[in-house]
Amino acid sequence: MTRALVVQVKNIKTAMANYYIGLMSGTSMDGVDGVVLDEGCQKIITSIYVPYPTPLKTRLQQLSQSGKSTLEHLAQVDIEVAQLFSKTANQLIKQAELSKKDICAIGSHGQTIYHQGGVYSMQIGHGALIAEQAGVATVADFRLQDVAAGGQGAPLTPLYHQHILGEKEGVIINLGGIANITIVKNNKVSGFDTGPANTLLDAWIKQEKNLDYDKCGVWAQSGVISETLLNILLEDAYFQAPAPKSTGPEYFNLGWLGQRLPADYQAQDIARTLLELSAVSISQHIPAGVSVYLCGGGVHNLLLVERLKTLNPQNTITTTSDLGIDPDFVEAAAFAFFASQTLQDKPSNLPLVTGACGARILGAIYKR
Ligand SMILES: Nc1ncnc2c1ncn2[C@@H]1O[C@H](COP(=O)(O)OP(=O)(O)O)[C@@H](O)[C@H]1O
Ligand SMILES: [Mg+2]
């Protein structure tokens, strides 16, 4: 009798979908980060990184530069990105030794190709195709509802950052293409995009050396900071503007830099100055004495991390590994968490962060 009961309970457990998948590609447009999270969205079961094939990355970059795309081009890339995201989801299910029925939902951020906080935000890699090709309900288009409610549509991760901090106070900084900061202090959560983390550096090394990024910050390390240029760059109104605020490569790009460059320069000195711009513009928002946890690809830029540590001697600066979450997969995990929120009819935006007029359940659900 007892034995039969145990077997029955086990069967019920395996019949229930317990896991969430998160898929994310950020402003760096480097590729898809994917995770499988447990039901409580506390633990990453498995993760994967699938870089964009170069031709797709080029087409994505063309799409996000205004005036260079047609609707046909948009449709093709939307499908291609969705296919890559679906493949990533299927690979994750295999890697975790799960089946589709074990997955409650996929939370897919998609790829932002246009973001103007408070006005419009567009992610491609459409959820309907992911739901069909992965065979799992997919939540997508997370940002639009917040924008429609008067918000920036970004950053959304502060709610997840708060979730992984648990009862702790702390600061989480995501060093993606753009840097965003979450500050949890005195029972209050604040957060916003501070400006560029890697996006200007990536664009600069692409133009000067045809590389995707400055591995470990070695090239920037070989240059010297131009204090004059650094001060000119820091004068941009974005850095002093009050929150809520969000930004992207639509604003911080080579055109923005070109308007401020001196006539004569050494390319590595510009790289070093851009890295300092990221470090300084982030550091001015870090409150003294609070533990800081870094995440995002920028944690691999040793010079950027070293500068953040030097500029903030009163903070302990580590990575989100100290909170049990791999720093390369925090953003992907956030979208798995947001999918679970949406399925439970719970909001994922923080109105004080995004400026929306209220908390909103985010995303469109494509069912299977
Ligand atoms: N080994 C490394 N050295 C220096 N920078 C790195 C390294 N690995 C990744 N990065 C940086 O991180 C970026 C990708 O970070 P990611 O968190 O995926 O950003 P996003 O969310 O914008 O896609 C790359 O474009 C690059 O600038
Ligand atoms: Mg990325």
Side-chain angles (χ1 to χ4, degrees):
M1 175 70 183
T2 321
R3 219 183 114 96
L5 239 174
V6 170
V7 170
Q8 207 177 9
V9 169
K10 241 179 138 183
N11 285 344
I12 289 168
K13 187 149 178 54
T14 47
M16 277 185 340
N18 286 322
Y19 301 89
Y20 288 89
I21 286 179
L23 302 171
M24 169 78 191
S25 178
T27 47
S28 303
M29 287 191 177
D30 55 315
V32 193
D33 302 314
V35 295
V36 177
L37 285 194
D38 65 346
E39 192 177 19
C41 293
Q42 293 291 349
K43 206 171 144 244
I44 296 177
I45 307 290
T46 191
S47 60
I48 192 171
Y49 170 62
V50 181
Y52 280 138
T54 306
L56 177 56
K57 184 170 171 160
T58 307
R59 283 201 290 283
L60 277 166
Q61 284 166 339
Q62 283 167 352
L63 254 189
S64 45
Q65 288 157 16
S66 52
K68 289 205 175 166
S69 26
T70 60
L71 282 175
E72 190 185 5
H73 181 194
L74 171 65
Q76 276 167 359
V77 181
D78 196 8
I79 293 166
E80 241 179 286
V81 171
Q83 283 169 336
L84 191 72
F85 274 55
S86 320
K87 256 171 78 180
T88 308
N90 285 324
Q91 182 58 33
L92 278 166
I93 294 169
K94 216 162 114 189
Q95 218 171 275
E97 296 180 3
L98 295 169
S99 69
K100 294 176 194 308
K101 66 174 179 1
D102 298 319
I103 313 293
C104 298
I106 295 170
S108 177
H109 173 267
Q111 177 65 59
T112 300
I113 53 164
Y114 181 80
H115 179 79
Q116 198 185 346
V119 180
Y120 193 71
S121 189
M122 186 176 195
Q123 285 73 44
I124 60 166
H126 73 97
L129 195 56
I130 299 174
E132 288 300 326
Q133 294 197 342
V136 177
T138 299
V139 189
D141 301 325
F142 283 92
R143 299 192 188 271
L144 267 182
Q145 188 82 45
D146 182 82
V147 175
Q152 291 286 310
L156 296 178
T157 42
L159 184 75
Y160 180 67
H161 290 165
Q162 185 186 21
H163 178 75
I164 62 174
L165 279 166
E167 299 296 304
K168 283 199 261 309
E169 289 197 332
V171 171
I172 297 185
I173 302 169
N174 174 44
L175 303 169
I178 296 295
N180 62 276
I181 189 167
T182 300
I183 302 163
V184 180
K185 205 168 174 251
N186 302 329
N187 296 318
K188 263 181 53 193
V189 186
S190 55
F192 50 88
D193 289 348
T194 61
N198 298 300
T199 192
L200 288 170
L201 274 163
D202 285 356
W204 184 248
I205 201 166
K206 188 77 196 170
Q207 178 183 285
E208 297 297 317
K209 294 169 84 85
N210 199 25
L211 295 172
D212 284 336
Y213 61 89
D214 181 14
K215 200 163 185 193
C216 303
V218 169
W219 187 47
Q221 180 91 66
S222 71
V224 177
I225 299 171
S226 159
E227 292 294 342
T228 313
L229 177 61
L230 179 61
N231 288 330
I232 291 170
L233 300 179
L234 283 167
E235 270 169 22
D236 188 280
Y238 184 84
F239 297 115
Q240 301 312 327
K245 61 177 177 176
S246 63
T247 190
E250 299 82 358
Y251 187 77
F252 288 110
N253 53 34
L254 289 182
W256 179 87
L257 178 64
Q259 288 162 11
R260 291 157 175 85
L261 275 183
D264 276 333
Y265 57 77
Q266 297 290 321
Q268 68 273 23
D269 295 346
I270 304 301
R272 180 66 189 84
T273 307
L274 291 175
L275 186 137
E276 197 67 10
L277 172 72
S278 299
V280 171
S281 58
I282 292 166
S283 295
Q284 64 182 356
H285 299 292
I286 301 177
V290 185
S291 298
V292 177
Y293 306 91
L294 303 177
C295 61
V299 298
H300 304 290
N301 187 319
L302 304 181
L303 182 59
L304 180 59
V305 174
E306 182 195 306
R307 290 302 297 144
L308 288 169
K309 287 183 176 169
T310 306
L311 290 168
N312 300 280
Q314 294 179 29
N315 298 86
T316 309
I317 301 189
T318 59
T319 73
T320 53
S321 291
D322 280 21
L323 300 170
I325 304 287
D326 183 333
D328 284 321
F329 294 99
V330 173
E331 297 270 297
F335 284 88
F337 173 68
F338 298 151
S340 90
Q341 290 285 103
T342 301
L343 259 57
Q344 296 171 74
D345 284 343
K346 290 181 184 169
S348 296
N349 65 337
L350 291 172
L352 284 177
V353 168
T354 65
C357 61
R360 294 289 186 270
I361 300 161
L362 300 183
I365 307 174
Y366 296 90
K367 290 198 173 168
R368 273 291 315 221

